Amino acid sequence: MEKTKQYVAMVGGDLGALLLFFQSLGYQVVWFNEDTINSFTNFLTAIVPLGFVLYGVYKNQFLLTEKALEQEKALEKQGLK
């Protein structure tokens, strides 16, 4: 999870650098400012871990591979599930 936070921080840093680049050219977009960059970074910080959790729940609830299906049947046959 720490790597994910680092990637999100990197994206925020890249957007900040892009903002400074545009400002140095004298090009300014009203909706592209430090507040929107921080909001987007906070959004990514919240949504990326949620995506990992949802994928984990999906993977654990639904058998994705033939091998997993066979293992499920073997566990049920042994009375372990």
Side-chain angles (χ1 to χ4, degrees):
M1 200 56 81
E2 187 63 33
K3 283 250 187 235
T4 304
K5 289 180 183 178
Q6 290 174 356
Y7 284 124
V8 168
M10 183 180 70
V11 168
D14 290 343
L15 289 174
L18 186 62
L19 175 65
L20 292 175
F21 174 71
F22 284 152
Q23 287 177 348
S24 70
L25 294 176
Y27 184 73
Q28 188 168 6
V29 180
V30 176
W31 56 267
F32 187 61
N33 55 38
E34 289 181 31
D35 291 331
T36 58
I37 291 172
N38 289 335
S39 297
F40 182 69
T41 304
N42 290 338
F43 171 75
L44 285 179
T45 302
I47 199 72
V48 170
L50 177 64
F52 285 141
V53 168
L54 291 176
Y55 175 72
V57 168
Y58 171 78
K59 187 175 178 185
N60 288 327
Q61 293 295 322
F62 301 102
L63 302 173
L64 298 177
T65 63
E66 190 66 33
K67 183 179 178 182
L69 184 59
E70 290 173 12
Q71 184 179 14
E72 181 78 12
K73 287 180 183 177
L75 289 173
E76 286 176 359
K77 193 174 187 179
Q78 295 174 4
L80 298 174
K81 228 173 179 193

